[in-house]
């Protein structure tokens, strides 16, 4: 009897750990079945300048903004923004994750990458959750490289709310991180979101 009790006490933590692992894997898989939409963007600054001041092509002019001019000379043009992503869950299972890695690309060029360390949970049956992602990058290469300059300028105009601009195609790649028995394990592959975003979408209209 005493031996059985000892074996049970040894086995219980392992059983609870296995249940926790299975739960994480199930919720992460369900996250892969969710639908993702870029809902809006806010708090957007290019070299410390609010991009809402850059509604025309000629507004993106270093001569008008000393910080932008200085950034180009120093090859350091900070771009800071927050993109809000809506996640909806059409399944009958809870979707969730505690940590995730993300990458955002424009015209095939990586704009941002980062790591989100917070609990994300989306209830089943059409539940929806909005996840804000902070973005920080050096936009110098994007502004000066002929392969990305036009696409980036167009994105800035969309972010500013300028009228008559063509949609900007963003690709967001999300990879959930699983904590399996104390070890960080990547979810196999990325959850990829391709979306044509307009000034109205980015401004939440």
């Amino acid at each position: 009897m005493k031996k059985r009790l000892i074996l049970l006490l040894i086995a219980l933590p392992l059983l609870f750990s296995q249940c926790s692992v299975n739960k994480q894997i199930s919720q992460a898989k369900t996250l892969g079945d969710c639908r993702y939409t870029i809902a809006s963007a806010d708090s957007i600054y290019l070299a410390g300048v609010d991009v809402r001041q850059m509604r025309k092509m000629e507004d993106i002019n270093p001569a008008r903004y000393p910080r932008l001019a200085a950034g180009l000379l120093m090859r350091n043009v900070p771009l800071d923004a927050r993109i809000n992503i809506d996640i909806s869950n059409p399944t009958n299972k809870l979707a969730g994750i505690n940590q995730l890695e993300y990458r955002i690309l424009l015209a095939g060029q990586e704009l941002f990458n980062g790591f989100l360390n917070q609990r994300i949970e989306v209830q089943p049956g059409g539940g929806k959750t909005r996840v804000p992602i902070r973005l920080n990058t050096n936009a110098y290469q994007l502004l000066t490289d002929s392969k990305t300059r036009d696409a980036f300028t167009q994105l800035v105009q969309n972010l500013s709310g300028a009228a008559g601009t063509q949609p900007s195609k963003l690709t967001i790649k999300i990879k959930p991180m699983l904590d399996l028995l104390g070890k960080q394990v990547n979810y196999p592959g990325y959850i990829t979101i391709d979306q044509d975003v307009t000034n109205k979408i980015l401004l939440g209209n």
Side-chain angles (χ1 to χ4, degrees), residues 2-202:
K2 187 176 180 181
K3 186 180 291 185
R4 288 181 181 178
L5 181 59
I6 293 172
L7 290 173
L8 181 62
L9 290 174
I10 293 172
L12 278 176
L14 295 175
L15 289 173
F16 284 128
S17 295
Q18 188 60 49
C19 287
S20 176
V21 167
N22 292 339
K23 185 178 178 181
Q24 283 192 65
I25 293 172
S26 174
Q27 291 182 2
K29 284 182 177 178
T30 304
L31 200 66
D33 295 327
C34 288
R35 295 169 184 160
Y36 297 79
T37 306
I38 300 172
S40 64
D42 53 51
S43 306
I44 308 153
Y45 294 89
L46 181 64
V49 180
D50 191 331
V51 299
R52 288 175 294 183
Q53 299 178 32
M54 301 177 178
R55 291 177 178 255
K56 298 177 182 177
M57 185 72 76
E58 54 267 29
D59 290 336
I60 309 175
N61 184 347
R64 296 189 58 183
Y65 303 105
R67 285 187 181 182
L68 181 54
L72 288 169
L73 286 173
M74 299 294 293
R75 299 191 175 192
N76 182 20
V77 183
L79 174 64
D80 302 287
R82 182 175 66 185
I83 289 182
N84 302 302
I85 298 175
D86 281 347
I87 307 174
S88 57
N89 182 2
T91 77
N92 60 359
K93 297 179 181 179
L94 178 68
I97 201 71
N98 293 325
Q99 299 172 321
L100 60 83
E101 173 194 338
Y102 63 86
R103 299 171 59 206
I104 299 182
L105 297 87
L106 173 70
Q109 178 76 25
E110 185 169 298
L111 279 176
F112 310 97
N113 64 72
F115 185 77
L116 194 62
N117 187 17
Q118 69 177 61
R119 175 66 179 170
I120 298 170
E121 198 169 275
V122 193
Q123 296 298 320
K128 183 181 288 187
T129 297
R130 177 162 292 187
V131 179
I133 295 179
R134 254 347 283 188
L135 311 174
N136 309 98
T137 193
N138 180 3
Y140 175 80
Q141 191 70 27
L142 297 165
L143 278 167
T144 56
D145 191 332
S146 60
K147 295 178 181 178
T148 57
R149 183 172 53 239
D150 290 345
F152 182 71
T153 301
Q154 183 175 293
L155 176 64
V156 170
Q157 288 187 287
N158 273 318
L159 291 171
S160 73
T165 56
Q166 294 296 314
S168 296
K169 185 171 184 177
L170 287 181
T171 298
I172 298 180
K173 293 180 173 288
I174 295 173
K175 179 178 285 189
M177 306 286 288
L178 305 175
D179 183 5
L180 304 182
L181 302 178
K183 293 184 179 180
Q184 292 295 327
V185 178
N186 285 333
Y187 181 83
Y190 282 93
I191 299 167
T192 301
I193 312 157
D194 287 312
Q195 187 172 335
D196 288 332
V197 291
T198 65
N199 56 349
K200 290 183 179 180
I201 292 176
L202 288 169

